[in-house]
Amino acid sequence: MKSDFEHEQHQEYFTNWKKSYDAPKELPNSFLNELPGLRYAYEAHLQPNTRKPLLIEEDNLPFLLSISQEKSHILIDPSTYYVKDIRDRKDTPFNTIVFSLTEPPLVTREVSKVVMERYFDQKPLCYAFIQSLGKSFGFHQRCPFVSGHEIFIPEKGSTNNSTSWYAAHHILYVVELKKTNQMRVFIRQHHDLLLDISPHSFKEQIDRATTLSHVQYKLATETFSLFNNTQTSHRADELNIIEKRLMDPEFVSTCFTLKEFTHFMSHYRLSEWMEKTFGEKNPYIDESRADLFNDDKEDKPSK
């Protein structure tokens, strides 16, 4: 009798619970447009994608100019994938058009040389140092600018004039157009860029950029490994004499940037070479050293 009573009580409880669960819920006023039998309410806010893939070539340039925004000064960033020199165009007063993954094209009266030099100035290593590094590998013309993962390659020599620059870090794949001796480059987010560059020249520039990128990576990783592969003090250990000196308020270190350090090292080695070649007491060595170092202070674009 006791077991029957408990079974009936459990059955009645389960039946009442199921009825209350199956009863239709009354939706709040903000969801009155939903179906009455829906047990879960939600809101969806959809925004259209305004960044459409672009076809960038000479024949399409009038359209690209029509959708561009004018800027007095342009600061390119990692999202920039093409800086095009349009000084020779007679149908526009602008000299440069810049394409980005995150915003519409930008146009400016500034020449591309000025736009790129502003970008170089914000990087740890100046273009002059990248060029000197490239010359050690035999890259005497059209040296790519490599700064970590960001790689910009000039289409032509830029010693005296401006040129166009394409960002290799946004290129996914390429197609050779042998009939026209051009390269069709496919950029992230499905942008299509037609470069008036021969396949041989394009491959050569990619190989140069790859070499410079590899060298930078090896220098950075092996420098960091000097600290990663050595034993450090534990928190409970007493500080050693060097650590104490570093924490001493009276310790004043020489502050310098990576750019300043690389310039110093290159100048120091060059000065040593001049003294060894011409003699330390040569009366013209100081004048030659001053002229050479003053010319090397400014970033010089590649030929």
Side-chain angles (χ1 to χ4, degrees):
M1 295 295 294
K2 180 180 179 181
S3 59
D4 294 340
F5 175 78
E6 292 179 350
H7 176 75
E8 292 176 359
Q9 292 295 316
H10 292 167
Q11 183 67 32
E12 182 179 0
Y13 174 79
F14 173 77
T15 303
N16 294 335
W17 174 78
K18 186 176 184 302
K19 289 181 179 179
S20 63
Y21 179 80
D22 290 337
K25 303 294 188 302
E26 196 174 311
L27 297 176
N29 294 333
S30 57
F31 303 107
L32 291 179
N33 57 340
E34 300 287 353
L35 296 176
L38 188 64
R39 295 175 183 168
Y40 301 98
Y42 61 91
E43 284 184 304
H45 300 280
L46 302 179
Q47 295 181 350
N49 182 14
T50 57
R51 298 279 75 81
K52 296 181 179 180
L54 295 177
L55 172 61
I56 305 173
E57 58 181 3
E58 287 295 329
D59 295 340
N60 200 34
L61 195 56
F63 166 74
L64 298 174
L65 290 171
S66 67
I67 64 173
S68 300
Q69 299 179 1
E70 179 182 357
K71 299 289 183 180
S72 57
H73 306 286
I74 296 179
L75 180 62
I76 65 176
D77 56 30
S79 65
T80 303
Y81 63 87
Y82 193 40
V83 178
K84 183 172 180 56
D85 175 32
I86 56 174
R87 291 173 300 135
D88 297 335
R89 302 268 322 183
K90 304 299 183 182
D91 56 346
T92 177
F94 303 109
N95 293 313
T96 307
I97 180 170
V98 177
F99 299 90
S100 171
L101 299 176
T102 58
E103 58 185 359
L106 304 177
V107 289
T108 179
R109 297 178 186 270
E110 292 184 319
V111 295
S112 61
K113 182 178 180 180
V114 174
V115 175
M116 292 305 299
E117 286 179 348
R118 184 181 298 117
Y119 168 75
F120 298 151
D121 289 341
Q122 66 173 329
K123 294 301 177 181
L125 294 178
C126 61
Y127 190 26
F129 176 79
I130 302 299
Q131 287 179 298
S132 63
L133 182 62
K135 288 179 180 178
S136 65
F137 292 97
F139 310 154
H140 298 285
Q141 296 180 346
R142 296 177 293 116
C143 181
F145 179 79
V146 181
S147 182
H149 296 288
E150 298 176 25
I151 302 172
F152 281 91
I153 302 178
E155 290 187 14
K156 301 178 181 179
S158 58
T159 299
N160 299 318
N161 297 319
S162 296
T163 185
S164 301
W165 295 73
Y166 55 93
H169 53 281
H170 287 310
I171 297 177
L172 301 181
Y173 59 96
V174 297
V175 174
E176 298 182 8
L177 303 179
K178 296 183 179 180
K179 292 184 178 180
T180 59
N181 202 32
Q182 294 173 310
M183 295 296 296
R184 184 167 296 279
V185 177
F186 295 91
I187 309 292
R188 299 183 190 278
Q189 299 183 10
H190 309 289
H191 297 297
D192 190 348
L193 172 61
L194 182 63
L195 295 177
D196 191 17
I197 302 175
S198 67
H200 172 75
S201 179
F202 181 83
K203 182 180 182 301
E204 182 182 52
Q205 289 296 83
I206 294 298
D207 288 342
R208 290 177 175 181
T210 303
T211 299
L212 292 174
S213 177
H214 174 71
V215 170
Q216 282 193 14
Y217 178 79
K218 293 293 291 183
L219 290 174
T221 53
E222 293 193 10
T223 300
F224 280 118
S225 69
L226 296 176
F227 294 90
N228 295 334
N229 295 331
T230 55
Q231 184 178 358
T232 58
S233 300
H234 299 287
R235 292 186 178 182
D237 295 339
E238 182 179 358
L239 298 179
N240 61 45
I241 189 171
I242 301 299
E243 294 169 334
K244 291 178 181 178
R245 181 59 176 157
L246 288 172
M247 298 183 65
D248 189 345
E250 296 182 357
F251 172 71
V252 179
S253 62
T254 302
C255 296
F256 52 83
T257 63
L258 181 59
K259 176 180 177 180
E260 293 171 337
F261 175 74
T262 54
H263 271 290
F264 170 79
M265 293 300 297
S266 59
H267 290 173
Y268 180 78
R269 293 300 302 272
L270 185 57
S271 179
E272 280 189 325
W273 174 84
M274 293 177 67
E275 291 179 359
K276 184 177 181 179
T277 303
F278 300 107
E280 185 177 353
K281 297 182 179 180
N282 190 298
Y284 301 103
I285 191 171
D286 290 336
E287 182 180 351
S288 300
R289 184 190 292 115
D291 292 340
L292 183 62
F293 291 168
N294 287 334
D295 291 340
D296 193 42
K297 285 183 179 179
E298 298 182 359
D299 296 355
K300 296 180 180 180
S302 62
K303 295 180 180 180

